[in-house]
Amino acid sequence: MKTIIEILTDKVSEAFEACGYSKELGIVKVSDRPDLCQFQCNGAFSGAKLYKKAPMIIAKDVIEKLQSNDIFANLSVVGAGFINIDVKDSFLLGYVAEILADDHLGIKQTTKNETIFLDYGGPNAAKSLHVGHLRSAIIGESLKRLANETGRKTVSDVHLGDWGLQMGLVMAELEERGDYSLSGEEWSNIYPLASQKSKENEAFKQKAQDITAKFQMEDPKYFSLWKKIMEISVAEIKETYDLLGVNFDLWHGESDSKKYMNTLISILENKGLLVESLGAMVVDVSEPTDNSPIPPIIIKKSNGASGYATTDLATFIEREELCHPTELWYVVDNRQSLHFTQVFRCVKKASLVPQNTAIYHLGFGTMNGKDGKPYKTRDGEVMKLRDFYNTVYDTVFKRVEDSTFSDGADKKDIAHKITIAAMKFGDLMNHRSKNYIFDIDKFTASEGKTGTFLLYTIARINSILKKVVNVTANKKADKIYSSSEKELLLTLALSNEAFELAYNEKAPNIICENAYKIASDFSKFYSENHIVGEQDQLKKSAWINLCKATKTILEKHLYILGIEPVEIM
Ligand code: ARG
């Protein structure tokens, strides 16, 4: 289905053409001055240069052609030649009705057969998830849902860091204890201890490195211990992702790339890309236009071990074989941008995927504490994701517990959903590439640009709808009665535009903005009109319809953001 902007652009372009001007001039956009009009077209100004005519004359010619029409309510030329546009109420209502009747709620569907492969999450096994893992999970999940909503197939992979020294460290520690039972012990205790020990104790460090080399070569003892650790660790990681409502199609890891290692090496060799440098085998990925030096990518270290970059390269072969993706999106911290520049260049040089496959590193900034530094516990430790969730949950639960309107409801479930909404919306409302400060009071406030406010809006609509269950919808409710109503309808009508833009820019913050706009427009509409007590039945029907439309469209926004609504609040 076409967006409202496309429909208007089509009409205005036709008018430009009918007047003998170029059709490209008819681009319509949302008005910069919503107080004056809903939409505008500035094409007369570019036309003035092309046709050596005053923009005013061009604009007047064009609106002349648009007069008798069932879309436009008001067309005027203002200033030196801006075309101001308002649409008819019947058109606006009809358009929103069309969105609601559409299977995809008006979201533009791709016409191609596209598969997007998303790599997000990326936690290291044998460690607990910590706050540093939050952003990748939240942003990745949202981008996946967004791509799905546009009709694209997606494959998501958590890409566990399961092949590195962290595994060897944990094994070395268990070995020293002489206890491999792993019963009930949390990684949060074992790993930091082992990591600290390796810094102070050279022999221990050596031992961990030896064990790492051994399990990587599938030495029976350590490989079976590795499997056991993986089983327990993955179960714990899954539990935390489940809590956050973050899901993956694949639970592959760096270790899965080993099957492709020989293929990778032979491809690189055959293409003559692999060269020796200081005992290591590397691929030069520098380009003449580089402003700063891009170092070669290390394929095999001098001790024969392969590292992070090698596993990422081999994983490309795996992914291509698995689903031949049209695009691959890596939702990973900004600080890894050099790594991805090197890897992606090498992928293209070696043609590990077809040349037209698009590969993106969708980087993100850090979540900081109020001191502007990466969020920490009070003792300055990295905070476990579970503890972080609990901190927010406790604050929210106290409030829900004290509220009387949710009596009888499952308060724990409500508090959980508000917690998730606060965390996710607080994160996603910032452009992913920026850092942000986590402010628990601000993020959980029920007013303002927060996830809580959005849930509150849904709960409020639910409560209205409950009070009017007996009102039968009147089909003839096809009028707009107030200005706040019209504003809300316009925002709803522009939602599919926001979804499209968010997809193109891979920026869920655009969806947050639109969701907030809907909720604030609704709040104004609600406070200016007495929906439940309204006597005029046609008016009441129109308003109830608008409540339902708002709920449906707002819930779609929330779904894409990975936020579940609450029934009451
Ligand atoms: N495990 C990595 C880390 O902790 C992140 C993985 C990101 N994904 C990837 N394909 N490299 O830094």
Side-chain angles (χ1 to χ4, degrees):
M1 140 174 202
K2 283 190 174 170
T3 64
I4 205 163
I5 291 287
E6 286 169 332
I7 296 175
L8 298 180
T9 296
D10 283 353
K11 290 283 169 217
V12 177
S13 300
E14 276 167 27
F16 268 94
E17 204 173 31
C19 299
Y21 304 121
S22 162
K23 176 172 171 172
E24 320 310 319
L25 299 171
I27 294 171
V28 173
K29 52 181 203 135
V30 176
S31 167
D32 290 338
R33 291 284 309 270
D35 52 325
L36 297 181
C37 59
Q38 296 168 324
F39 301 94
Q40 67 186 69
C41 170
N42 305 343
F45 292 97
S46 316
K49 285 179 212 121
L50 281 176
Y51 303 105
K52 314 251 177 303
K53 251 191 197 179
M56 172 66 84
I57 300 184
I58 298 179
K60 282 197 167 144
D61 284 351
V62 170
I63 68 165
E64 190 75 9
K65 284 272 182 295
L66 290 167
Q67 288 311 336
S68 51
N69 196 300
D70 50 8
I71 296 183
F72 302 102
N74 256 320
L75 287 153
S76 53
V77 180
V78 297
F82 295 101
I83 302 176
N84 281 3
I85 302 168
D86 281 325
V87 297
K88 288 196 167 136
D89 289 357
S90 54
F91 173 72
L92 195 54
L93 281 163
Y95 188 78
V96 172
E98 232 180 282
I99 286 188
L100 294 171
D102 183 72
D103 285 345
H104 308 288
L105 223 50
I107 303 174
K108 173 101 11 101
Q109 301 296 295
T110 179
T111 50
K112 293 181 231 136
N113 188 2
E114 288 176 83
T115 303
I116 315 285
F117 196 105
L118 290 105
D119 178 313
Y120 63 98
N124 291 333
K127 292 190 198 178
S128 296
L129 292 181
H130 57 77
V131 289
H133 293 115
L134 186 66
R135 297 211 70 192
S136 179
I138 292 181
I139 300 167
E141 180 69 23
S142 174
L143 289 170
K144 176 184 71 184
R145 292 178 184 215
L146 181 57
N148 274 326
E149 290 295 321
T150 61
R152 285 157 175 103
K153 218 175 100 197
T154 59
V155 181
S156 56
D157 180 14
V158 68
H159 198 67
L160 294 166
D162 59 357
W163 207 230
L165 183 63
Q166 81 277 14
M167 305 295 290
L169 282 166
V170 169
M171 286 189 230
E173 171 62 20
L174 294 176
E175 186 156 286
E176 292 218 330
R177 293 180 184 193
D179 177 8
Y180 299 100
S181 60
L182 288 168
S183 54
E185 175 107 43
E186 286 194 51
W187 307 114
S188 51
N189 301 328
I190 305 178
Y191 174 77
L193 207 121
S195 165
Q196 190 54 34
K197 218 189 239 184
S198 76
K199 284 179 195 133
E200 293 156 1
N201 179 338
E202 192 52 42
F204 181 80
K205 184 174 163 190
Q206 191 55 52
K207 181 177 185 153
Q209 281 168 346
D210 292 346
I211 293 179
T212 305
K214 280 189 183 151
F215 86 76
Q216 289 186 346
M217 284 181 310
E218 301 195 12
D219 165 281
K221 176 178 169 195
Y222 294 108
F223 193 57
S224 72
L225 182 56
W226 175 81
K227 280 196 194 146
K228 189 170 160 194
I229 295 176
M230 283 304 291
E231 204 176 296
I232 299 173
S233 175
V234 167
E236 189 202 298
I237 292 175
K238 264 197 179 132
E239 209 180 286
T240 310
Y241 280 133
D242 278 349
L243 182 73
L244 296 176
V246 172
N247 304 297
F248 301 93
D249 300 315
L250 304 174
W251 280 78
H252 290 189
E254 291 172 9
S255 64
D256 290 287
S257 71
K258 65 179 186 288
K259 289 196 276 297
Y260 302 89
M261 214 48 98
N262 291 337
T263 316
L264 172 69
I265 303 291
S266 63
I267 294 175
L268 297 176
E269 268 170 355
N270 291 342
K271 303 217 163 176
L273 296 170
L274 209 53
V275 294
E276 207 207 298
S277 164
L278 304 169
M281 296 308 285
V282 305
V283 172
D284 176 17
V285 290
S286 64
E287 285 173 8
T289 49
D290 289 340
N291 291 323
S292 53
I294 303 289
I297 184 165
I298 301 171
I299 306 296
K300 256 191 194 337
K301 297 180 193 150
S302 48
N303 66 0
S306 57
Y308 184 40
T310 328
T311 56
D312 261 328
L313 288 170
T315 305
F316 269 89
I317 306 177
E318 180 195 16
R319 291 174 178 175
E320 178 61 26
E321 198 176 282
L322 197 75
C323 63
H324 181 55
T326 350
E327 297 188 10
L328 292 111
W329 299 0
Y330 287 78
V331 187
V332 184
D333 196 307
N334 276 337
R335 288 171 287 191
Q336 295 199 19
S337 79
L338 176 62
H339 165 76
F340 285 109
T341 303
Q342 293 173 301
V343 169
F344 295 172
R345 284 184 181 184
C346 187
V347 167
K348 290 282 157 137
K349 258 185 132 161
S351 301
L352 300 182
V353 298
Q355 288 305 315
N356 60 0
T357 305
I359 315 170
Y360 301 98
H361 170 212
L362 306 177
F364 52 82
T366 51
M367 177 180 89
N368 294 335
K370 281 190 180 159
D371 58 357
K373 301 206 187 91
Y375 199 89
K376 292 268 160 66
T377 63
R378 267 181 216 186
D379 319 321
E381 305 277 331
V382 178
M383 193 184 244
K384 275 173 67 182
L385 199 41
R386 201 63 220 215
D387 294 340
F388 176 66
Y389 167 88
N390 289 340
T391 311
V392 184
Y393 177 86
D394 290 345
T395 307
V396 171
F397 186 72
K398 268 192 214 98
R399 235 177 282 155
V400 176
E401 201 176 26
D402 294 342
S403 71
T404 48
F405 47 81
S406 50
D407 280 349
D410 181 348
K411 293 192 174 187
K412 284 191 181 143
D413 181 60
I414 295 177
H416 165 70
K417 287 176 176 157
I418 298 176
T419 301
I420 295 295
M423 284 165 62
K424 290 192 174 176
F425 193 86
D427 186 299
L428 293 170
M429 71 183 214
N430 309 285
H431 187 272
R432 62 180 155 71
S433 65
K434 302 238 167 68
N435 299 342
Y436 72 92
I437 290 177
F438 186 85
D439 181 334
I440 194 163
D441 296 322
K442 207 163 110 189
F443 286 16
T444 57
S446 51
E447 290 293 320
K449 211 184 261 185
T450 66
T452 319
F453 175 53
L454 301 184
L455 293 197
Y456 183 63
T457 305
I458 301 276
R460 178 181 263 174
I461 296 176
N462 288 338
S463 130
I464 298 168
L465 294 177
K466 238 182 251 157
K467 288 185 192 139
V468 298
V469 269
N470 295 327
V471 180
T472 37
N474 194 320
K475 284 240 153 46
K476 284 207 257 42
D478 58 356
K479 251 175 76 182
I480 297 179
Y481 297 88
S482 61
S483 66
S484 59
E485 204 178 331
K486 196 186 281 196
E487 243 169 82
L488 173 57
L489 275 162
L490 185 60
T491 306
L492 295 177
L494 287 167
S495 287
N496 51 3
E497 192 78 31
F499 290 130
E500 197 178 347
L501 189 63
Y503 179 80
N504 291 340
E505 313 237 316
K506 302 176 181 58
N509 61 306
I510 295 173
I511 294 177
C512 291
E513 285 302 329
N514 207 62
Y516 175 65
K517 176 104 179 44
I518 292 175
S520 18
D521 284 357
F522 181 81
S523 174
K524 193 165 167 216
F525 158 66
Y526 173 82
S527 65
E528 287 180 9
N529 302 293
H530 299 287
I531 305 164
V532 178
E534 178 55 48
Q535 293 305 311
D536 179 333
Q537 289 310 306
L538 270 184
K539 208 188 253 188
K540 190 167 180 170
S541 283
W543 287 347
I544 293 170
N545 287 344
L546 185 53
C547 287
K548 288 181 181 162
T550 305
K551 176 173 149 91
T552 307
I553 296 175
L554 188 53
E555 281 181 348
K556 179 63 90 182
H557 287 68
L558 292 180
Y559 172 76
I560 296 176
L561 299 173
I563 296 172
E564 263 186 273
V566 290
E567 198 47 43
I568 56 171
M569 206 168 134

